[in-house]
Every structure is written in structure tokens, then in C-alpha cells.
Coordinates of all heavy atoms in Angstrom, one line a residue:
M11 N 62.6 16.5 13.3 CA 61.6 17.5 13.1 C 60.4 16.8 12.5 O 60.5 16.0 11.5 CB 62.0 18.6 12.3 CG 61.0 19.7 12.1 SD 61.9 21.2 11.6 CE 60.6 21.8 10.6
V12 N 59.3 17.0 13.0 CA 58.0 16.4 12.5 C 57.3 17.4 11.6 O 57.1 18.6 11.9 CB 57.0 16.1 13.7 CG1 55.7 15.5 13.2 CG2 57.7 15.1 14.6
D13 N 56.9 16.9 10.5 CA 56.1 17.7 9.5 C 54.6 17.4 9.8 O 54.1 16.5 9.3 CB 56.5 17.2 8.0 CG 55.7 18.1 7.0 OD1 54.7 18.7 7.3 OD2 56.3 18.1 5.9
W14 N 54.1 18.3 10.6 CA 52.7 18.0 11.1 C 51.7 18.1 10.0 O 50.7 17.4 10.1 CB 52.4 19.0 12.3 CG 53.2 18.7 13.5 CD1 54.2 19.4 14.0 CD2 53.1 17.5 14.3 NE1 54.7 18.8 15.2 CE2 54.0 17.6 15.3 CE3 52.2 16.4 14.2 CZ2 54.1 16.6 16.3 CZ3 52.3 15.5 15.2 CH2 53.3 15.6 16.2
D15 N 51.8 19.0 9.1 CA 50.9 19.1 8.0 C 50.7 17.9 7.2 O 49.6 17.4 7.0 CB 51.2 20.3 7.1 CG 51.1 21.6 7.7 OD1 50.3 21.8 8.6 OD2 51.8 22.6 7.3
R16 N 51.8 17.3 6.9 CA 51.8 16.0 6.1 C 51.3 14.9 7.0 O 50.6 14.0 6.5 CB 53.1 15.8 5.5 CG 53.4 16.7 4.3 CD 54.7 16.4 3.6 NE 55.0 17.3 2.6 CZ 55.7 18.5 2.7 NH1 56.2 18.8 3.9 NH2 55.9 19.3 1.7
T17 N 51.8 14.9 8.2 CA 51.3 13.9 9.2 C 49.9 13.9 9.3 O 49.2 12.8 9.4 CB 52.1 14.0 10.6 OG1 53.5 14.0 10.3 CG2 51.6 13.0 11.5
N18 N 49.3 15.1 9.5 CA 47.8 15.2 9.7 C 47.1 14.7 8.4 O 46.1 14.0 8.5 CB 47.5 16.6 9.9 CG 47.8 17.0 11.3 OD1 47.9 16.2 12.2 ND2 47.9 18.3 11.5
L19 N 47.7 14.9 7.2 CA 47.0 14.4 6.0 C 47.0 12.9 6.0 O 46.0 12.2 5.7 CB 47.8 14.9 4.7 CG 47.5 16.3 4.3 CD1 48.4 16.7 3.1 CD2 46.1 16.5 4.0
L20 N 48.1 12.2 6.4 CA 48.2 10.8 6.4 C 47.3 10.2 7.4 O 46.7 9.2 7.3 CB 49.6 10.4 6.6 CG 50.6 10.6 5.4 CD1 52.1 10.3 5.8 CD2 50.2 9.7 4.2
A21 N 47.1 10.9 8.6 CA 46.3 10.4 9.6 C 44.8 10.7 9.4 O 44.0 10.1 10.1 CB 46.7 11.1 11.0
G22 N 44.5 11.4 8.3 CA 43.1 11.6 8.0 C 42.5 12.9 8.8 O 41.3 13.1 8.7
V23 N 43.3 13.7 9.4 CA 42.9 14.8 10.1 C 42.5 15.9 9.1 O 41.5 16.7 9.4 CB 43.9 15.3 11.2 CG1 43.5 16.6 11.8 CG2 44.2 14.2 12.2
G24 N 43.2 16.0 8.1 CA 43.0 17.0 7.1 C 42.6 16.5 5.8 O 42.7 15.2 5.6
T25 N 42.2 17.2 4.8 CA 41.9 16.8 3.5 C 42.8 17.4 2.5 O 43.5 18.4 2.7 CB 40.5 17.1 3.1 OG1 40.3 18.5 3.1 CG2 39.5 16.5 4.0
A26 N 42.9 16.8 1.3 CA 43.8 17.3 0.3 C 43.1 17.2 -1.1 O 42.0 16.5 -1.2 CB 45.1 16.5 0.2
K27 N 43.6 18.0 -2.1 CA 43.1 17.8 -3.4 C 44.2 18.0 -4.4 O 45.2 18.7 -4.1 CB 41.9 18.7 -3.6 CG 42.3 20.2 -3.7 CD 41.0 21.0 -3.9 CE 41.2 22.5 -3.7 NZ 40.0 23.3 -4.0
V28 N 44.0 17.5 -5.6 CA 44.9 17.7 -6.7 C 44.1 18.5 -7.7 O 42.9 18.3 -7.9 CB 45.3 16.3 -7.3 CG1 46.1 16.5 -8.6 CG2 46.0 15.5 -6.3
I29 N 44.8 19.5 -8.3 CA 44.2 20.3 -9.4 C 44.9 19.7 -10.7 O 46.2 19.9 -10.8 CB 44.4 21.8 -9.2 CG1 43.7 22.1 -7.9 CG2 43.8 22.5 -10.4 CD1 43.5 23.5 -7.7
A30 N 44.2 19.1 -11.5 CA 44.7 18.5 -12.7 C 45.2 19.6 -13.7 O 44.8 20.7 -13.6 CB 43.6 17.7 -13.4
P31 N 46.1 19.2 -14.6 CA 46.6 20.2 -15.6 C 45.5 20.9 -16.3 O 45.7 22.1 -16.7 CB 47.4 19.3 -16.6 CG 47.9 18.2 -15.8 CD 46.7 17.9 -14.8
D32 N 44.3 20.3 -16.5 CA 43.2 21.0 -17.2 C 42.4 21.9 -16.2 O 41.4 22.4 -16.6 CB 42.4 20.1 -17.9 CG 41.6 19.1 -17.0 OD1 41.7 19.2 -15.8 OD2 40.9 18.2 -17.6
G33 N 42.8 21.9 -14.9 CA 42.0 22.8 -13.9 C 41.0 22.1 -13.2 O 40.4 22.7 -12.2
R34 N 40.6 20.8 -13.5 CA 39.6 20.2 -12.8 C 40.1 19.7 -11.4 O 41.3 19.3 -11.3 CB 39.1 18.9 -13.5 CG 38.4 19.3 -14.8 CD 37.8 18.1 -15.5 NE 38.8 17.2 -15.9 CZ 38.7 16.0 -16.3 NH1 37.5 15.4 -16.3 NH2 39.7 15.3 -16.7
E35 N 39.3 19.7 -10.4 CA 39.7 19.4 -9.0 C 39.5 17.9 -8.8 O 38.5 17.3 -9.3 CB 38.8 20.2 -8.0 CG 39.2 21.6 -8.0 CD 38.4 22.4 -6.9 OE1 37.7 21.7 -6.1 OE2 38.5 23.6 -6.9
I36 N 40.4 17.3 -8.1 CA 40.3 15.9 -7.7 C 40.4 15.9 -6.2 O 41.5 15.9 -5.7 CB 41.4 15.0 -8.4 CG1 41.4 15.2 -9.9 CG2 41.3 13.5 -8.0 CD1 42.6 14.8 -10.6
P37 N 39.3 15.7 -5.5 CA 39.4 15.6 -4.0 C 40.0 14.3 -3.6 O 39.6 13.3 -4.1 CB 37.9 15.9 -3.6 CG 37.1 15.6 -4.8 CD 38.0 15.7 -5.9
L38 N 40.8 14.3 -2.6 CA 41.3 13.1 -2.1 C 40.6 12.8 -0.7 O 40.6 13.7 0.2 CB 42.8 13.2 -1.8 CG 43.7 13.5 -3.0 CD1 45.1 13.6 -2.6 CD2 43.6 12.4 -4.1
P39 N 40.0 11.7 -0.6 CA 39.2 11.4 0.7 C 40.2 11.3 1.8 O 41.4 11.1 1.6 CB 38.6 10.1 0.4 CG 39.0 9.6 -0.9 CD 39.9 10.6 -1.6
R40 N 39.7 11.6 3.0 CA 40.5 11.4 4.2 C 41.1 10.0 4.2 O 40.5 9.1 3.9 CB 39.7 11.7 5.4 CG 39.2 13.0 5.6 CD 38.5 13.2 6.9 NE 37.8 14.5 7.0 CZ 38.4 15.6 7.4 NH1 39.7 15.6 7.9 NH2 37.7 16.7 7.4
R41 N 42.4 10.0 4.6 CA 43.2 8.7 4.7 C 43.2 8.0 3.3 O 43.2 6.8 3.3 CB 42.6 7.8 5.8 CG 42.6 8.5 7.1 CD 42.2 7.6 8.2 NE 43.4 6.8 8.5 CZ 43.5 6.0 9.6 NH1 42.6 6.0 10.4 NH2 44.6 5.2 9.7
S42 N 43.2 8.7 2.2 CA 43.3 8.1 0.9 C 44.6 7.3 0.8 O 45.6 7.8 1.2 CB 43.2 9.3 -0.1 OG 43.6 8.7 -1.4
D43 N 44.5 6.2 0.1 CA 45.7 5.4 -0.1 C 46.5 6.0 -1.2 O 47.6 5.5 -1.5 CB 45.3 3.9 -0.4 CG 44.6 3.8 -1.7 OD1 44.0 4.8 -2.3 OD2 44.5 2.7 -2.2
A44 N 46.1 7.1 -1.8 CA 46.9 7.8 -2.8 C 47.9 8.8 -2.1 O 48.9 9.2 -2.8 CB 46.0 8.6 -3.8
L45 N 47.7 9.2 -0.9 CA 48.5 10.2 -0.3 C 50.0 9.8 -0.2 O 50.9 10.5 -0.6 CB 48.0 10.6 1.1 CG 46.8 11.5 1.0 CD1 46.2 11.7 2.5 CD2 47.2 12.9 0.5
W46 N 50.2 8.6 0.3 CA 51.6 8.1 0.6 C 52.4 8.0 -0.8 O 53.5 8.5 -0.9 CB 51.6 6.8 1.4 CG 53.0 6.4 1.8 CD1 53.7 5.3 1.4 CD2 53.9 7.1 2.7 NE1 54.9 5.2 2.0 CE2 55.1 6.4 2.8 CE3 53.8 8.3 3.4 CZ2 56.2 6.7 3.5 CZ3 54.9 8.7 4.2 CH2 56.0 7.9 4.2
P47 N 51.8 7.3 -1.8 CA 52.5 7.3 -3.1 C 52.8 8.7 -3.6 O 53.8 8.9 -4.2 CB 51.7 6.5 -4.0 CG 50.7 5.7 -3.1 CD 50.6 6.5 -1.8
L48 N 51.8 9.6 -3.5 CA 52.0 11.0 -4.0 C 53.1 11.7 -3.3 O 53.9 12.3 -3.9 CB 50.7 11.8 -3.9 CG 49.6 11.4 -4.9 CD1 48.3 12.2 -4.6 CD2 50.0 11.5 -6.3
M49 N 53.1 11.5 -2.0 CA 54.2 12.1 -1.2 C 55.5 11.6 -1.6 O 56.6 12.4 -1.7 CB 54.0 12.0 0.3 CG 52.8 12.8 0.8 SD 52.6 12.5 2.6 CE 51.3 13.6 2.9
N50 N 55.7 10.3 -1.8 CA 57.0 9.7 -2.2 C 57.3 10.1 -3.6 O 58.5 10.3 -3.8 CB 56.8 8.2 -2.1 CG 56.9 7.7 -0.7 OD1 57.5 8.2 0.1 ND2 56.1 6.6 -0.4
L51 N 56.4 10.2 -4.5 CA 56.6 10.7 -5.9 C 57.2 12.1 -5.8 O 58.2 12.4 -6.5 CB 55.4 10.6 -6.7 CG 55.5 11.1 -8.1 CD1 56.4 10.3 -9.0 CD2 54.1 11.3 -8.7
L52 N 56.6 12.9 -5.1 CA 57.1 14.3 -5.0 C 58.5 14.4 -4.4 O 59.4 15.1 -4.9 CB 56.1 15.2 -4.2 CG 54.8 15.4 -4.9 CD1 53.9 16.2 -3.9 CD2 54.9 16.1 -6.2
A53 N 58.7 13.6 -3.3 CA 60.0 13.6 -2.7 C 61.1 13.1 -3.7 O 62.2 13.6 -3.7 CB 60.0 12.8 -1.4
S54 N 60.8 12.0 -4.4 CA 61.7 11.4 -5.3 C 62.1 12.4 -6.4 O 63.2 12.2 -7.0 CB 61.2 10.1 -5.9 OG 60.2 10.3 -6.8
H55 N 61.3 13.3 -6.7 CA 61.6 14.4 -7.7 C 62.0 15.7 -7.1 O 62.1 16.7 -7.8 CB 60.4 14.6 -8.7 CG 60.2 13.4 -9.6 ND1 59.5 12.3 -9.3 CD2 60.6 13.3 -10.9 CE1 59.5 11.5 -10.3 NE2 60.2 12.1 -11.3
A56 N 62.3 15.7 -5.8 CA 62.7 16.9 -5.1 C 61.7 18.0 -5.2 O 62.1 19.2 -5.4 CB 64.1 17.3 -5.5
V57 N 60.4 17.7 -5.2 CA 59.4 18.7 -5.4 C 58.7 18.9 -4.0 O 58.1 17.9 -3.5 CB 58.3 18.3 -6.4 CG1 57.2 19.3 -6.5 CG2 59.0 18.1 -7.8
S58 N 58.8 20.1 -3.5 CA 58.1 20.3 -2.2 C 56.7 21.0 -2.5 O 56.6 21.8 -3.3 CB 59.0 21.4 -1.5 OG 58.4 21.7 -0.2
N59 N 55.8 20.5 -1.7 CA 54.5 21.1 -1.8 C 53.9 21.2 -0.4 O 53.3 20.2 0.2 CB 53.5 20.2 -2.7 CG 52.2 20.9 -3.0 OD1 52.3 21.9 -3.8 ND2 51.2 20.5 -2.4
P60 N 54.1 22.3 0.3 CA 53.8 22.4 1.7 C 52.3 22.6 2.0 O 51.9 22.6 3.2 CB 54.6 23.6 2.2 CG 54.7 24.4 1.0 CD 54.8 23.5 -0.2
T61 N 51.5 22.7 1.0 CA 50.0 22.8 1.2 C 49.3 21.6 0.8 O 49.8 20.7 0.1 CB 49.5 24.1 0.4 OG1 49.4 23.7 -1.0 CG2 50.3 25.3 0.5
P62 N 48.0 21.5 1.2 CA 47.2 20.3 1.0 C 46.6 20.3 -0.5 O 45.9 19.5 -0.9 CB 46.2 20.3 2.0 CG 46.0 21.6 2.4 CD 47.3 22.3 2.3
V63 N 47.0 21.4 -1.2 CA 46.5 21.5 -2.6 C 47.7 21.3 -3.6 O 48.7 22.1 -3.5 CB 45.9 22.8 -2.9 CG1 45.4 23.0 -4.3 CG2 44.6 23.0 -2.0
L64 N 47.6 20.3 -4.4 CA 48.7 20.0 -5.3 C 48.2 20.4 -6.7 O 47.4 19.8 -7.4 CB 49.0 18.5 -5.3 CG 50.1 18.0 -6.2 CD1 51.4 18.6 -5.9 CD2 50.3 16.5 -6.1
D65 N 48.7 21.6 -7.1 CA 48.3 22.3 -8.3 C 49.2 21.9 -9.5 O 50.3 22.4 -9.6 CB 48.2 23.7 -8.2 CG 47.4 24.4 -9.3 OD1 47.3 23.8 -10.4 OD2 47.1 25.6 -9.1
L66 N 48.8 20.9 -10.3 CA 49.6 20.4 -11.4 C 49.8 21.4 -12.6 O 50.5 21.2 -13.5 CB 49.1 19.1 -11.9 CG 49.1 18.0 -10.9 CD1 48.5 16.7 -11.4 CD2 50.4 17.8 -10.3
R67 N 49.1 22.5 -12.5 CA 49.2 23.6 -13.5 C 50.5 24.4 -13.3 O 50.9 25.0 -14.2 CB 48.0 24.5 -13.5 CG 46.7 23.8 -13.9 CD 45.5 24.7 -13.7 NE 45.4 25.0 -12.2 CZ 44.6 26.0 -11.7 NH1 43.7 26.5 -12.5 NH2 44.6 26.3 -10.5
A68 N 51.0 24.3 -12.1 CA 52.2 25.1 -11.8 C 53.4 24.6 -12.6 O 53.6 23.4 -12.8 CB 52.5 25.1 -10.3
H69 N 54.2 25.5 -13.0 CA 55.4 25.2 -13.8 C 56.3 24.2 -13.2 O 56.7 23.2 -13.8 CB 56.1 26.5 -14.2 CG 57.4 26.2 -15.0 ND1 57.4 25.9 -16.3 CD2 58.8 26.3 -14.6 CE1 58.6 25.7 -16.8 NE2 59.4 25.9 -15.8
R70 N 56.5 24.3 -11.9 CA 57.4 23.4 -11.2 C 56.8 22.0 -11.1 O 57.5 21.0 -10.7 CB 57.7 23.9 -9.8 CG 56.5 24.0 -8.9 CD 56.8 24.8 -7.6 NE 55.7 24.8 -6.7 CZ 55.4 23.8 -5.8 NH1 56.2 22.8 -5.7 NH2 54.3 23.9 -5.1
M71 N 55.6 21.8 -11.4 CA 54.9 20.5 -11.3 C 54.9 19.7 -12.7 O 54.6 18.5 -12.7 CB 53.5 20.6 -10.9 CG 53.3 21.1 -9.5 SD 54.0 19.9 -8.3 CE 53.8 20.8 -6.8
R72 N 55.4 20.4 -13.7 CA 55.4 19.7 -15.0 C 56.1 18.4 -15.1 O 55.6 17.5 -15.8 CB 55.9 20.7 -16.1 CG 54.9 21.8 -16.4 CD 55.5 22.6 -17.6 NE 54.6 23.8 -17.7 CZ 54.8 24.9 -18.3 NH1 56.1 25.1 -18.8 NH2 54.0 25.8 -18.4
A73 N 57.2 18.3 -14.4 CA 58.0 17.0 -14.5 C 57.3 15.8 -13.8 O 57.5 14.7 -14.1 CB 59.3 17.2 -13.7
V74 N 56.3 16.1 -12.9 CA 55.6 15.1 -12.2 C 54.2 14.9 -12.5 O 53.5 14.0 -12.0 CB 55.8 15.2 -10.6 CG1 57.3 15.1 -10.3 CG2 55.2 16.4 -10.1
A75 N 53.6 15.8 -13.3 CA 52.1 15.9 -13.5 C 51.6 14.6 -14.0 O 50.5 14.1 -13.5 CB 51.8 17.1 -14.4
E76 N 52.2 14.0 -15.1 CA 51.6 12.8 -15.6 C 51.7 11.7 -14.6 O 50.7 10.9 -14.5 CB 52.4 12.4 -16.9 CG 51.7 11.2 -17.6 CD 50.2 11.4 -17.9 OE1 49.8 12.5 -18.3 OE2 49.5 10.4 -17.7
A77 N 52.8 11.5 -13.8 CA 52.9 10.5 -12.9 C 51.9 10.7 -11.8 O 51.4 9.7 -11.2 CB 54.3 10.4 -12.3
V78 N 51.7 11.9 -11.3 CA 50.6 12.2 -10.3 C 49.3 11.7 -10.8 O 48.5 11.0 -10.1 CB 50.6 13.7 -9.9 CG1 49.4 14.0 -9.0 CG2 51.9 14.0 -9.1
M79 N 48.9 12.1 -12.0 CA 47.6 11.7 -12.5 C 47.5 10.2 -12.7 O 46.4 9.6 -12.5 CB 47.5 12.4 -14.0 CG 47.3 13.9 -13.9 SD 45.9 14.4 -12.8 CE 44.5 13.7 -13.7
E80 N 48.6 9.5 -13.0 CA 48.6 8.1 -13.0 C 48.3 7.4 -11.7 O 47.4 6.5 -11.5 CB 49.9 7.5 -13.6 CG 49.9 6.0 -13.8 CD 51.3 5.6 -14.4 OE1 51.8 6.3 -15.3 OE2 51.7 4.5 -14.0
V81 N 48.9 8.0 -10.6 CA 48.6 7.5 -9.3 C 47.1 7.7 -8.9 O 46.5 6.9 -8.4 CB 49.5 8.2 -8.2 CG1 49.0 8.0 -6.8 CG2 51.0 7.8 -8.4
V82 N 46.7 8.9 -9.2 CA 45.3 9.3 -9.0 C 44.3 8.3 -9.7 O 43.4 7.8 -9.1 CB 45.0 10.7 -9.3 CG1 43.5 11.1 -9.3 CG2 45.7 11.7 -8.4
R83 N 44.6 8.1 -11.0 CA 43.7 7.2 -11.8 C 43.8 5.8 -11.3 O 42.7 5.1 -11.2 CB 44.1 7.2 -13.3 CG 43.7 8.4 -14.0 CD 43.9 8.3 -15.5 NE 45.3 8.2 -15.8 CZ 46.1 9.3 -16.2 NH1 45.6 10.5 -16.1 NH2 47.3 9.1 -16.5
D84 N 45.0 5.3 -10.9 CA 45.1 3.9 -10.4 C 44.4 3.7 -9.1 O 44.0 2.6 -8.8 CB 46.6 3.6 -10.1 CG 47.4 3.4 -11.5 OD1 46.8 3.3 -12.5 OD2 48.7 3.4 -11.4
R85 N 44.2 4.8 -8.3 CA 43.4 4.6 -7.1 C 41.9 4.9 -7.3 O 41.1 4.9 -6.4 CB 43.9 5.7 -6.1 CG 45.3 5.5 -5.7 CD 45.7 4.2 -5.2 NE 47.0 4.0 -4.7 CZ 48.2 3.9 -5.3 NH1 48.1 3.9 -6.6 NH2 49.3 3.6 -4.7
G86 N 41.5 5.0 -8.6 CA 40.0 5.2 -8.9 C 39.5 6.5 -8.5 O 38.3 6.7 -8.4
L87 N 40.4 7.6 -8.4 CA 39.9 8.8 -8.0 C 39.6 9.6 -9.3 O 40.4 9.6 -10.3 CB 40.9 9.6 -7.2 CG 41.2 8.9 -5.9 CD1 42.4 9.6 -5.2 CD2 40.0 8.9 -5.0
A88 N 38.5 10.3 -9.4 CA 38.1 11.0 -10.6 C 38.0 12.5 -10.4 O 37.6 12.9 -9.3 CB 36.8 10.5 -11.2
P89 N 38.4 13.3 -11.4 CA 38.2 14.7 -11.3 C 36.7 15.1 -11.3 O 35.9 14.4 -11.9 CB 38.8 15.3 -12.6 CG 39.4 14.1 -13.3 CD 39.0 12.9 -12.7
T90 N 36.4 16.2 -10.6 CA 35.1 16.7 -10.6 C 34.9 17.6 -11.8 O 35.9 17.9 -12.5 CB 34.8 17.6 -9.4 OG1 35.6 18.7 -9.4 CG2 35.0 16.7 -8.1
D91 N 33.7 18.1 -12.1 CA 33.5 19.1 -13.2 C 33.9 20.5 -12.8 O 34.0 21.4 -13.6 CB 32.1 19.0 -13.6 CG 31.7 17.8 -14.4 OD1 32.6 17.2 -15.0 OD2 30.6 17.3 -14.4
H92 N 34.1 20.6 -11.5 CA 34.5 21.9 -11.0 C 36.0 22.3 -11.4 O 36.9 21.5 -11.2 CB 34.4 22.0 -9.4 CG 34.7 23.3 -8.9 ND1 35.9 23.7 -8.4 CD2 33.9 24.4 -8.7 CE1 35.9 24.9 -8.0 NE2 34.7 25.4 -8.2
R93 N 36.1 23.4 -12.0 CA 37.4 23.9 -12.4 C 37.9 25.1 -11.6 O 37.1 25.9 -11.3 CB 37.4 24.3 -13.9 CG 37.2 23.0 -14.8 CD 37.3 23.4 -16.2 NE 36.8 22.3 -17.1 CZ 37.8 21.4 -17.6 NH1 39.0 21.5 -17.4 NH2 37.2 20.5 -18.4
T94 N 39.2 25.1 -11.3 CA 39.7 26.1 -10.5 C 40.5 27.1 -11.4 O 41.1 26.7 -12.3 CB 40.7 25.5 -9.4 OG1 39.9 24.6 -8.6 CG2 41.3 26.6 -8.6

């Protein structure tokens, strides 16, 4: 079975964003090199996120929030001042 939503993100057809624990948005550019490591990180922790918005404020994301932010920072992606 093909996961078209995730495939489209990796192919650059769709866009994604991370919402940091403090509510700031971090947009991921199309075909971001952060997507694959983020997907693998979530899978390794058995965390499913079927939408292109990864909201780290959610209770179920607490176990991976710091690791996700590390991946984002390592890729040079910065949060915007916009808070959700």
C-alpha cells in the first residue's frame, strides 16, 4: 500500500510545517532534507502523524519533541514569529 500523502511530501508536491512546543510555526520548504529524518524519527517511536502539520504541543508528541526540534535546528530551519 502506498502512503500518498507522505510520498507527496517527499516529492515536493505538498508542504509541511512543524509547530514548536512554544507554538511558533516552522515551515518546511518543499523537498526539505528534514522530511525523511523526521518521518524516520516518528516511525522509530511508533508515532503516527497523517497530516502535514506536526504539532509538538500535542501530548502524544512529548516523547519526540526535543528530537524533532534538533532535526529542525540541524537543518537550519528557524521558527517564525507567527504562533498557532
Side-chain angles (χ1 to χ4, degrees):
M11 185 164 143
V12 176
D13 183 338
W14 289 111
D15 292 331
R16 289 181 181 95
T17 300
N18 286 338
L19 284 176
L20 289 171
V23 175
T25 59
K27 69 178 169 181
V28 173
I29 302 194
D32 65 3
R34 292 184 297 164
E35 292 184 5
I36 305 164
L38 300 179
R40 292 183 189 272
R41 302 187 76 167
S42 170
D43 65 342
L45 283 171
W46 188 245
L48 289 174
M49 288 179 180
N50 285 326
L51 175 68
L52 294 176
S54 71
H55 286 85
V57 175
S58 176
N59 194 71
T61 71
V63 177
L64 183 60
D65 191 343
L66 299 179
R67 298 171 300 175
H69 179 73
R70 65 188 183 87
M71 295 293 175
R72 287 186 184 155
V74 297
E76 186 55 41
V78 167
M79 292 303 295
E80 186 175 321
V81 169
V82 168
R83 282 190 297 269
D84 287 351
R85 299 307 187 280
L87 300 171
T90 65
D91 289 331
H92 183 265
R93 293 183 188 266
T94 302

